[in-house]
Amino acid sequence: MQENFAKRIAIYPGSFDPITNGHVDIIKRASRIFNEIIILIAHNPDKVYLFTIEERMEMIREIFRDTEGLKVDCYSGLLVDYLKMSGANIILRGMRALSDFEYEFQMALMNRRQTKNIETVFLMSGFKWFYTSSKLIKEVASLGGSVKSLVPDNVNQKLIEKYDVNNTRG
Ligand code: PNS
């Protein structure tokens, strides 16, 4: 158990539908703490996704193309099973406003209930991204608003393509 923590491999699970600058900020800051981070596209049964798993993985891979110590993976089962399989025991999550707290607290406790020697480590969201969420970004983009400063360039482009079938917007 001690050894696993010493490896400092963190699993960063989420829907990433799509990845935002808030997520990117968490990953960059976490990469100074952990030796390896696996960005895991996991299944949230409460969500209907805009992007396919492949599209989400491709966008993330493009963003972190030149970054060492990062992997991108996907998994449709229980998060704790993925941790067991990968030999990691740290879950990384970002925490934004107070509204995130209860949801995150419940998940962290539920995960630890299933597997004792795992820890969820939270990084506070960067101030700039406090109110950034994939959900709101999609809503604004779907209605023709600009989300350029909230997502990486490749994601912005993909959102424009998704929501503008006739390519009438720039
Ligand atoms: O970005 P999200 O949608 O808030 O991420 C939630 C996610 C995907 C991390 C969560 O739904 C999850 O862990 N899904 C995998 C299945 C699982 O283990 N569910 C029990 C969570 S306590």
Side-chain angles (χ1 to χ4, degrees):
M1 170 181 148
Q2 293 286 342
E3 244 177 49
N4 282 352
F5 281 109
K7 283 190 206 159
R8 296 221 307 267
I9 303 173
I11 309 294
Y12 183 37
S15 296
F16 304 108
D17 186 44
I19 188 165
T20 69
N21 283 347
H23 296 124
V24 172
D25 175 59
I26 295 283
I27 294 163
K28 284 188 177 159
R29 284 161 51 214
S31 65
R32 299 199 299 249
I33 302 171
F34 300 105
N35 294 326
E36 186 180 328
I37 299 172
I38 302 177
I39 304 165
L40 183 72
I41 298 180
H43 182 67
N44 181 342
D46 293 334
K47 290 189 177 169
V48 175
Y49 297 109
L50 173 67
F51 292 102
T52 64
I53 290 180
E54 290 74 24
E55 287 173 320
R56 283 177 274 160
M57 287 183 83
E58 196 189 313
M59 284 187 273
I60 298 173
R61 286 209 173 105
E62 242 176 82
I63 295 161
F64 295 106
R65 203 176 31 219
D66 301 322
T67 315
E68 277 177 30
L70 278 186
K71 281 188 194 156
V72 186
D73 202 358
C74 63
Y75 191 62
S76 57
L78 269 183
L79 180 58
V80 290
D81 288 340
Y82 184 88
L83 267 92
K84 274 183 222 156
M85 265 175 13
S86 56
N89 47 8
I90 300 169
I91 297 170
L92 169 69
R93 292 283 288 176
M95 180 87 80
R96 291 167 304 187
L98 199 62
S99 51
D100 277 351
F101 184 78
E102 190 158 347
Y103 171 59
E104 294 297 337
F105 196 62
Q106 278 180 13
M107 281 204 296
L109 289 183
M110 182 57 90
N111 284 326
R112 204 166 58 196
R113 195 189 173 91
Q114 296 173 79
T115 310
K116 288 284 170 286
N117 53 347
I118 60 168
E119 290 294 344
T120 302
V121 172
F122 294 100
L123 284 191
M124 288 306 296
S125 145
F127 186 68
K128 269 167 89 178
W129 319 116
F130 221 61
Y131 294 104
T132 303
S133 74
S134 300
K135 182 170 178 276
L136 277 184
I137 282 171
K138 283 181 284 189
E139 186 175 323
V140 171
S142 73
L143 297 169
S146 171
V147 292
K148 200 172 172 356
S149 59
L150 300 175
V151 291
D153 287 347
N154 64 336
V155 175
N156 188 43
Q157 193 51 44
K158 283 270 178 206
L159 282 165
I160 290 172
E161 285 164 20
K162 272 274 176 205
Y163 286 122
D164 188 3
V165 280
N166 300 317
N167 274 329
T168 50
R169 279 195 286 134

